[in-house]
Amino acid sequence: GVITCCAVGNTQTDTIATVASPAVAAKSVAVTATTKSGTGLFLSQGPTPDGRLKPDICAPGLDIIAARASGTTMGFAVDAYYVKASGTSMAAPHVVGVTALLKQAHPSWTPKELKNALLLSARNIGLPSWKVGLGLVDAVKAMNVDVVLSNLGEVNFGLLDSTTGSQTFLVESGSLTFAENDPYLSLSTTSAGAGTSVTASLSIPASFEGPCYEIPITVTSANGTYRMVAFFVRASTITFR
């Protein structure tokens, strides 16, 4: 199979629901850009029109030096061979490179398992997931991910019209524990092994305005600690362009 890493686009306003196609595709790895130090640039943001979390992950995309095709004028020409440019199209190749390293280290991993490792191991940079995904790509940590979740670390409740919702995901491999501390979310179990289904139940007050809300969930396995995100959109408070 093939894994696709897509730039989310460069809408330079702090406006939600601006992720471009094909990054909105469910199986794609949607990439946004940060500075080299890992601060957000606030480019195209999620959610998708059906309320899913996008972007998935972020990577450096500011003032990136890259090979320059002969005769081209994109960005700032460093010299005849290199160009300096910024944007999500400069961030996505970083994630492609990490994915290639993962595939080299784990030749048997499927596209789903590769995306699972990328997302679970992403480093939290303290910004909302609908702006930067689950975090900054982390090649070393991704190499050692030892659990596979059917939801790849994203518990998407989607567009929520009511005050309650539930999502069930499967622990496909590995053994882990969960921890969360949010008044709106509860999990059916705090520990699970391969083949175990876990249900996340959501209950929010009728007065909740949103429009977007995320709940971090800590996942601990033998190889380390990872991060999931539960996410929902208050349907009545969002307008898609």
Side-chain angles (χ1 to χ4, degrees), residues 131-220:
K131 295 183 178 183
V132 297
L134 270 71
L136 189 66
V137 64
D138 188 329
V140 174
K141 192 171 184 179
M143 291 287 180
N144 297 309
V145 171
D146 58 344
V147 296
V148 179
L149 304 177
S150 63
N151 63 3
L152 312 181
E154 298 174 341
V155 185
N156 282 300
F157 289 92
L159 297 173
L160 201 64
D161 288 312
S162 66
T163 58
T164 60
S166 65
Q167 289 289 319
T168 298
F169 60 93
L170 180 69
V171 179
E172 296 187 358
S173 69
S175 181
L176 47 89
T177 60
F178 300 101
E180 55 80 24
N181 184 25
D182 189 278
Y184 299 155
L185 185 74
S186 62
L187 300 174
S188 60
T189 183
T190 57
S191 61
T196 302
S197 293
V198 181
T199 298
S201 300
L202 186 70
S203 179
I204 61 173
S207 59
F208 184 88
E209 294 183 358
C212 300
Y213 192 77
E214 66 175 352
I215 301 169
I217 303 170
T218 301
V219 179
T220 303

Side-chain angles (χ1 to χ4, degrees), residues 18-218:
T18 51
V19 172
S21 180
V24 293
K27 292 184 179 181
S28 75
V29 180
V31 184
T32 193
T34 66
T35 65
K36 293 176 184 177
S37 62
T39 58
L41 294 179
F42 301 107
L43 300 173
S44 296
Q45 302 175 26
T48 65
D50 57 348
R52 288 177 292 110
L53 180 60
K54 291 286 180 174
D56 294 305
I57 201 167
C58 58
L62 180 66
D63 293 337
I64 303 300
I65 306 297
R68 178 188 178 193
S70 178
T72 60
T73 57
M74 184 197 81
F76 173 76
V78 177
D79 55 29
Y81 303 104
Y82 296 97
V83 64
K84 180 169 69 174
S86 300
T88 58
S89 291
M90 305 305 288
H94 287 85
V95 179
V96 172
V98 172
T99 305
L101 291 173
L102 284 176
K103 187 64 174 176
Q104 184 178 31
H106 303 282
S108 64
W109 280 10
T110 65
K112 180 178 181 179
E113 290 171 320
L114 292 169
K115 184 177 179 180
N116 171 86
L118 288 170
L119 270 55
L120 286 178
S121 63
R123 188 188 339 144
N124 181 17
I125 60 173
L127 292 170
S129 56
W130 60 91
K131 295 183 178 183
V132 297
L134 270 71
L136 189 66
V137 64
D138 188 329
V140 174
K141 192 171 184 179
M143 291 287 180
N144 297 309
V145 171
D146 58 344
V147 296
V148 179
L149 304 177
S150 63
N151 63 3
L152 312 181
E154 298 174 341
V155 185
N156 282 300
F157 289 92
L159 297 173
L160 201 64
D161 288 312
S162 66
T163 58
T164 60
S166 65
Q167 289 289 319
T168 298
F169 60 93
L170 180 69
V171 179
E172 296 187 358
S173 69
S175 181
L176 47 89
T177 60
F178 300 101
E180 55 80 24
N181 184 25
D182 189 278
Y184 299 155
L185 185 74
S186 62
L187 300 174
S188 60
T189 183
T190 57
S191 61
T196 302
S197 293
V198 181
T199 298
S201 300
L202 186 70
S203 179
I204 61 173
S207 59
F208 184 88
E209 294 183 358
C212 300
Y213 192 77
E214 66 175 352
I215 301 169
I217 303 170
T218 301

